[in-house]
Amino acid sequence: METSEILKKVRKIEIKTRGLSQNIFAGQYHSAFKGHGMAFSEVREYQFGDDVRDIDWNVTARFNHPFVKVFEEERELTVMLLVDVSGSLDFGTKKTTKREIATEIAATLAFSAIQNNDKIGVIFFSDRIEKYIPPKKGRKHILYIIREMLDFEPQSRRTDVTMAIEYLTRMMKRRCTVCLVSDFYIPNADKEDAHFEHALTIANHKHDIVAVQVYDQRAKTLPNIGLMKIRDAETGHEMYIDTSSAKLRHAHTMYWMERNSMLKQAFAKSGVDWTSVATDEDYVRAMMRLFAQRS
């Protein structure tokens, strides 16, 4: 992609996602991603209805009438975006690709973060850690993140979500808020599901994790268009399938439903709030659902 084209796309995404973060997500983001606790702010004279447990006895004794401590939320957060950049994210049969949807979601969260004076960082992953961008504040930092997401070429096209989660647990020493964005394509899922759930549970105990699944409708249902050549975006393997077979289409849908049921179970057991959005859907609604779960 040429530099001028990238800059145009970055600007377009900035205008859209910054507007969303300011006009739609502002309050929801603040209530969904809470601070680390309460910090002492000041003292003031006791007023009727104040909790007696908040009385500052030292100040009260000095002035000979009651004063109470005032606390405020420790708001500043470190937000990490854990973003899948594997080959399967380049797929999309409708308006856009999974990667483009993931980029807009990440950008919206990033602009929401800086509006709340939070730091934002990114970890790109495939079946390895592709890039780590340390948490910082500011518009220039976010534009850099968006540009990287649009133009980043991973070394590998395969996926290992579990590895990425384990890396996050080791790498981030202090508690942070994490948004994991992926299609959750997990090769050898029957063997990896327990490992994935275990890693997610440990990570969510240390950090505050939410997840966004991006998918294409063709992962759920196949069209009846006869013989079709398909290619695995991660392995490069190609094969022909006969989509006129009702049995094949049914098996394809059942596999999707089974995989999503197992994914839903893993999120529930690990205590991770999540939402999903298709490439032909409005991701704003999906994000509002996610925020509502946590408010």
Side-chain angles (χ1 to χ4, degrees):
M1 198 183 297
E2 292 183 4
T3 302
S4 59
E5 187 181 347
I6 294 170
L7 292 175
K8 283 180 184 176
K9 285 197 170 187
V10 169
R11 182 63 179 150
K12 187 177 178 182
I13 289 174
E14 180 193 9
I15 291 168
K16 179 178 179 180
T17 58
R18 187 165 63 174
L20 287 171
S21 67
Q22 289 172 344
N23 302 322
I24 297 177
F25 294 139
Q28 285 82 357
Y29 173 92
H30 185 95
S31 59
F33 302 117
K34 295 178 175 61
H36 299 308
M38 304 301 288
F40 172 70
S41 176
E42 60 181 355
V43 294
R44 60 164 171 78
E45 289 190 37
Y46 177 87
Q47 297 173 4
F48 180 76
D50 285 338
D51 192 330
V52 294
R53 291 174 296 183
D54 292 335
I55 291 177
D56 187 319
W57 293 107
N58 290 329
V59 177
T60 296
R62 192 180 311 151
F63 291 96
N64 212 25
H65 60 274
F67 279 76
V68 292
K69 295 177 180 178
V70 179
F71 296 86
E72 61 182 23
E73 183 184 4
E74 287 186 298
R75 174 60 237 174
E76 184 176 303
L77 300 174
T78 295
V79 179
M80 289 301 300
L81 302 173
L82 192 56
V83 181
D84 187 345
V85 292
S86 61
S88 61
L89 270 288
D90 290 325
F91 182 73
T93 60
K94 297 289 184 178
K95 294 187 294 184
T96 186
T97 66
K98 290 185 280 184
R99 184 188 295 271
E100 289 167 331
I101 289 286
T103 299
E104 288 201 18
I105 289 170
T108 303
L109 287 169
F111 278 115
S112 297
I114 62 164
Q115 267 186 233
N116 281 272
N117 203 36
D118 298 334
K119 294 179 181 177
I120 188 90
V122 183
I123 297 171
F124 292 147
F125 72 92
S126 54
D127 63 349
R128 66 189 74 182
I129 299 303
E130 295 281 355
K131 188 176 183 103
Y132 168 66
I133 301 175
K136 289 183 184 177
K137 297 180 183 180
R139 174 177 172 268
K140 282 178 69 176
H141 179 62
I142 292 177
L143 296 183
Y144 168 64
I145 289 172
I146 297 171
R147 179 170 177 163
E148 283 295 294
M149 289 194 67
L150 286 171
D151 199 41
F152 188 78
E153 288 293 335
Q155 292 184 327
S156 173
R157 297 188 64 79
R158 295 174 182 265
T159 310
D160 191 337
V161 184
T162 303
M163 173 280 307
I165 295 168
E166 290 174 337
Y167 174 83
L168 171 83
T169 303
R170 293 193 308 271
M171 175 70 180
M172 302 304 294
K173 303 302 182 186
R174 297 184 64 183
R175 182 175 176 83
C176 61
T177 297
V178 181
C179 184
L180 171 56
V181 185
S182 174
D183 58 1
F184 294 97
Y185 173 76
I186 302 176
N188 305 313
D190 52 336
K191 298 177 182 177
E192 287 295 320
D193 274 333
H195 191 191
F196 167 71
E197 183 185 308
H198 178 69
L200 197 59
T201 301
I202 291 173
N204 197 42
H205 182 72
K206 182 177 180 181
H207 303 294
D208 178 19
I209 300 180
V210 297
V212 180
Q213 178 196 30
V214 291
Y215 70 97
D216 190 270
Q217 291 289 359
R218 288 292 172 256
K220 187 188 296 187
T221 55
L222 284 174
N224 183 358
I225 56 173
L227 205 60
M228 176 192 289
K229 185 180 182 180
I230 61 171
R231 180 176 180 272
D232 189 311
E234 301 201 355
T235 65
H237 177 70
E238 294 182 344
M239 63 183 294
Y240 285 92
I241 59 172
D242 184 6
T243 61
S244 64
S245 166
K247 186 177 180 181
L248 183 142
R249 295 196 308 275
H250 177 71
H252 178 84
T253 299
M254 290 305 295
Y255 176 77
W256 163 264
M257 292 176 66
E258 182 182 325
R259 283 296 312 133
N260 251 39
S261 175
M262 293 173 77
L263 190 62
K264 187 176 181 179
Q265 189 176 45
F267 288 136
K269 287 185 177 179
S270 59
V272 170
D273 293 318
W274 75 296
T275 190
S276 63
V277 57
T279 54
D280 60 343
E281 290 178 344
D282 181 1
Y283 68 83
V284 173
R285 290 185 179 181
M287 297 306 293
M288 294 294 276
R289 286 197 303 268
L290 179 63
F291 291 158
Q293 289 178 50
R294 301 170 57 80
S295 297

